[in-house]
Amino acid sequence: MGSSKDDASVTNISVEEHFSVSQSSPGGQFVGPTEEISTAAEALIGRSTTLTEALKAAAMNVGHKPVETTDVAAIKEVETRAIGGDDIEGAGGGVTAVASKAVARNKTIGKESEKTNLRDVIAEIDVTVTRDREVTSEDAEAVVQAELNHSPFKNIIPGGVAESVAAAYKLNHDPSL
């Protein structure tokens, strides 16, 4: 699977083959398998591994960081897949709309401590996303791709949305992790 944005190529996004989503090169290419369990996976142990649970794990891991465009892209992919591909923006938004507004607001605020963080955005996930399902390989790959496509440095946020979704898939695929 590969894509190109601004002449950067993204390849080898295969959660199925257990590529580490926290290890990437500056060009956006994953650099090999990992046997280590990520902080995102640790947050999911003992929890159901659905799409919204993965978002909650991201909020637990990096919820203190201000919401960024990369988060919006990954959240939109998760939300769209969780509700079955319905038009989330046409339906009044949801978590994606809240995240988009938070990014716009954060751009106007100078102090990091006053910016809206990921935990604030994901706090209402159970209210706004009423349908959910188990994370699949295709979900994990699509969310990783969305985050990479919107990252200025073509990397994944360690413990963030994409890594949490990938960790959820890994746990669904192999609960012994």
Side-chain angles (χ1 to χ4, degrees):
M1 169 185 282
S3 98
S4 179
K5 182 179 180 187
D6 300 329
D7 297 325
S9 178
V10 178
T11 57
N12 293 336
I13 301 173
S14 177
V15 178
E16 185 69 39
E17 295 173 8
H18 302 287
F19 281 91
S20 170
V21 294
S22 63
Q23 298 177 1
S24 63
S25 66
Q29 183 173 350
F30 292 110
V31 291
T34 181
E35 295 300 321
E36 296 177 26
I37 189 163
S38 71
T39 57
E42 288 173 0
L44 288 167
I45 291 175
R47 296 177 155 314
S48 63
T49 50
T50 64
L51 288 159
T52 59
E53 287 293 327
L55 281 179
K56 291 176 188 177
M60 289 170 45
N61 286 313
V62 295
H64 61 280
K65 78 172 204 62
V67 181
E68 301 171 355
T69 305
T70 55
D71 299 315
V72 174
I75 289 168
K76 181 177 182 178
E77 192 67 40
V78 168
E79 189 172 22
T80 300
R81 289 172 170 275
I83 65 173
D86 292 346
D87 181 15
I88 58 173
E89 291 172 4
V95 180
T96 302
V98 172
S100 294
K101 290 175 186 169
V103 168
R105 178 184 175 276
N106 285 351
K107 288 180 181 179
T108 66
I109 297 172
K111 289 179 74 176
E112 289 289 312
S113 63
E114 294 178 5
K115 292 183 177 185
T116 304
N117 62 41
L118 192 59
R119 185 175 294 119
D120 296 333
V121 168
I122 295 176
E124 298 297 317
I125 189 75
D126 292 326
V127 175
T128 57
V129 178
T130 57
R131 288 183 277 169
D132 198 5
R133 63 178 175 75
E134 190 174 281
V135 178
T136 66
S137 171
E138 293 80 17
D139 296 330
E141 290 172 8
V143 174
V144 167
Q145 187 68 54
E147 192 167 300
L148 282 172
N149 285 344
H150 291 84
S151 170
F153 304 109
K154 302 297 177 211
N155 62 356
I156 296 297
I157 299 164
V161 176
E163 188 174 88
S164 295
V165 172
Y169 164 69
K170 288 178 182 179
L171 289 174
N172 288 344
H173 184 71
D174 186 2
S176 67
L177 287 176

